[in-house]
């Protein structure tokens, strides 16, 4: 019987050639680009109907607010924010006039720490694979749990964190593996731009910051600005919307003149501080948010602050709003695109194709 020589018994040239072939194959396979992961997105075919139903329900609530004002006012100027514990005992606080009756049309999640720091958001599945996801967060203090969990729950979201007392050193509060998607700056959000060399703290309007960063939209806007939210948000609405010109329209169902235009964010998470606020001022501010397309879908009264300040009212509350105008990802289905962050994988794939052409030729011409 004919015996074939073992590998080591062959001519050394065959052994060297075989080893070279194995090494080349290994190098080629290991240098090939990994397959691009597709952007995952589930369209919500019931979304339009859900939003229309919630909008009808919310508008039906507004006359009830007016009735409550008439009952305890009878005008907004006569409504007390937190009635005293004495006869008569009206069963309300200011928060009862502004219930979050607009249901989130997606899943509802609380991101971040229990107690102070966590935020309620609507439909994180809508942006977990969104290539151009943008988050702005103002007023961090010492709690970064919401931002950290949001980063962990999404693939591409970039988070801009702003605080007038903290700078880039705050990045140590974010897990190291996520810091490449976080941007820090020591500044405050304001109603006007005041960020010259002598301004301290430096204040930027939202419009100026977005222009500086090259952004046309924000998916999540989070604010905890310790009482500056009133004038700041009036400025945001003034900068991005405008009152309709015809005075014949008069006041809308909301009680303030109609406005046109779209606010540049999909959701707003904000802590309201009603220190020294009068009911009529709060009502006018709230109606401006409504007329601009914001609908509250969740609130959380800050009972930690109430416990520390038992002599005052329950003056702090977290609210989450959905923007029902425009084309944001929470109210419109969108077509996913290949994320720009995969450009390295694309370059690797192109390089692998180039090497293959060098080794094996360009192949037959396409017709």
């Amino acid at each position: 019987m004919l015996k074939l020589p073992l590998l080591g018994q062959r001519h050394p040239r065959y052994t060297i050639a075989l080893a070279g072939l194995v090494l080349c194959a290994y190098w080629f396979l290991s240098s090939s680009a990994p397959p691009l992961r597709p952007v995952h997105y589930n369209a919500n075919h019931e979304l339009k109907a859900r939003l229309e139903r919630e909008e009808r329900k919310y508008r039906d609530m507004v006359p009830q607010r007016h009735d409550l004002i008439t009952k305890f006012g009878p005008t907004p100027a006569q409504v007390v924010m937190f009635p005293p514990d004495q006869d008569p005992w009206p069963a309300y606080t200011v928060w009862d006039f502004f219930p979050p009756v607009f249901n989130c049309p997606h899943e509802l999640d609380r991101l971040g720490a229990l107690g102070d720091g966590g935020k309620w958001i609507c439909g994180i599945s809508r942006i977990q694979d969104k290539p151009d996801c943008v988050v702005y967060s103002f007023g961090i203090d010492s709690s970064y749990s919401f931002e950290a969990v949001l980063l962990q729950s999404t693939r591409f979201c970039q988070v801009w964190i702003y605080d007038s007392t903290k700078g880039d050193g705050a990045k140590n509060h974010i897990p190291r593996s996520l810091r490449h998607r976080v941007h820090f700056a020591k500044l405050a959000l304001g109603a006007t731009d005041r960020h010259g060399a002598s301004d301290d703290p430096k204040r930027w309007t939202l419009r100026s910051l977005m222009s500086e960063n090259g952004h046309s939209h924000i998916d999540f806007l989070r604010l905890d600005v310790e009482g500056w939210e009133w004038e700041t948000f009036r400025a945001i609405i003034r900068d991005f919307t405008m009152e309709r010109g015809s005075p014949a329209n008069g006041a809308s169902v909301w009680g303030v003149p109609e406005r046109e235009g779209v606010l540049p964010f999909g959701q707003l998470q904000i802590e309201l501080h009603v220190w020294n606020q009068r009911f009529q001022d709060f009502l006018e501010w709230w109606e401006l948010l409504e007329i601009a397309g914001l609908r509250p879908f969740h609130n959380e009264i800050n009972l930690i602050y109430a416990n520390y300040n038992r002599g005052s009212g329950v003056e702090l509350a977290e609210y989450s709003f959905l923007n029902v105008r425009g084309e944001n990802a929470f109210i419109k289905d969108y077509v996913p695109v290949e994320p720009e962050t995969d450009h390295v994988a694309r370059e690797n794939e192109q390089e692998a194709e180039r090497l293959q052409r060098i080794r094996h030729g360009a192949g037959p011409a396409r017709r």
Side-chain angles (χ1 to χ4, degrees), residues 311-328:
S312 61
V314 187
E315 297 173 316
L316 275 60
E318 301 269 3
Y319 271 86
S320 297
F321 292 85
L322 181 68
N323 185 359
V324 298
R325 286 189 187 174
E327 303 288 329
N328 69 72

Side-chain angles (χ1 to χ4, degrees), residues 132-349:
D132 59 345
C133 173
V134 174
V135 180
Y136 277 28
S137 192
F138 294 93
I140 290 296
D141 193 18
S142 59
S143 177
Y144 295 78
S145 62
F146 168 72
E147 290 76 14
V149 174
L150 190 146
L151 286 164
Q152 292 167 345
S153 304
T154 60
R155 290 174 57 199
F156 305 113
C157 285
Q158 299 275 334
V159 179
W160 275 257
I161 295 178
Y162 299 109
D163 193 291
S164 61
T165 64
K166 295 175 175 62
D168 192 60
K171 66 183 179 183
N172 296 326
H173 294 274
I174 300 294
R176 185 180 298 275
S177 61
L178 302 172
R179 291 177 193 169
H180 65 286
R181 290 196 276 135
V182 187
H183 315 268
F184 296 87
K186 186 178 180 180
L187 58 85
L189 185 66
T192 57
D193 284 306
R194 299 183 59 184
H195 43 82
S198 60
D199 292 318
D200 186 25
K202 300 186 185 304
R203 295 191 178 276
W204 290 67
T205 63
L206 183 65
R207 181 170 63 177
S208 295
L209 268 179
M210 292 181 66
S211 176
E212 180 76 9
N213 295 331
H215 293 148
S216 60
H217 81 282
I218 300 170
D219 291 287
F220 288 108
L221 173 63
R222 191 200 71 83
L223 266 72
D224 184 0
V225 291
E226 303 301 319
W228 289 93
E229 60 268 19
W230 314 111
E231 63 177 271
T232 296
F233 237 90
R234 286 189 179 94
I236 290 174
I237 292 174
R238 183 182 65 242
D239 286 344
F240 291 97
T241 70
M242 59 183 298
E243 188 173 320
R244 288 184 180 169
S246 175
N249 291 335
S252 66
V253 65
W254 313 110
V256 295
E258 293 280 358
R259 301 186 72 87
E260 56 189 11
V262 178
L263 296 176
F265 49 85
Q267 282 187 49
L268 168 68
Q269 282 73 35
I270 184 171
E271 183 164 53
L272 303 180
H273 310 75
V274 296
W275 305 312
N276 304 316
Q277 285 288 315
R278 300 182 304 172
F279 180 85
Q280 64 265 41
D281 296 330
F282 184 96
L283 175 65
E284 182 269 339
W285 182 88
W286 185 277
E287 289 175 338
L288 279 176
L289 270 62
E290 289 175 324
I291 206 69
L294 298 183
R295 301 290 180 265
F297 62 84
H298 201 281
N299 71 348
E300 185 173 282
I301 308 300
N302 190 330
L303 297 179
I304 297 175
Y305 175 85
N307 183 52
Y308 290 159
N309 298 273
R310 300 190 182 193
S312 61
V314 187
E315 297 173 316
L316 275 60
E318 301 269 3
Y319 271 86
S320 297
F321 292 85
L322 181 68
N323 185 359
V324 298
R325 286 189 187 174
E327 303 288 329
N328 69 72
F330 305 103
I331 64 169
K332 297 286 185 180
D333 286 328
Y334 62 93
V335 178
V337 296
E338 182 183 330
E340 289 299 320
T341 49
D342 278 345
H343 70 279
V344 174
R346 290 199 306 274
E347 291 174 356
N348 289 341
E349 186 176 29

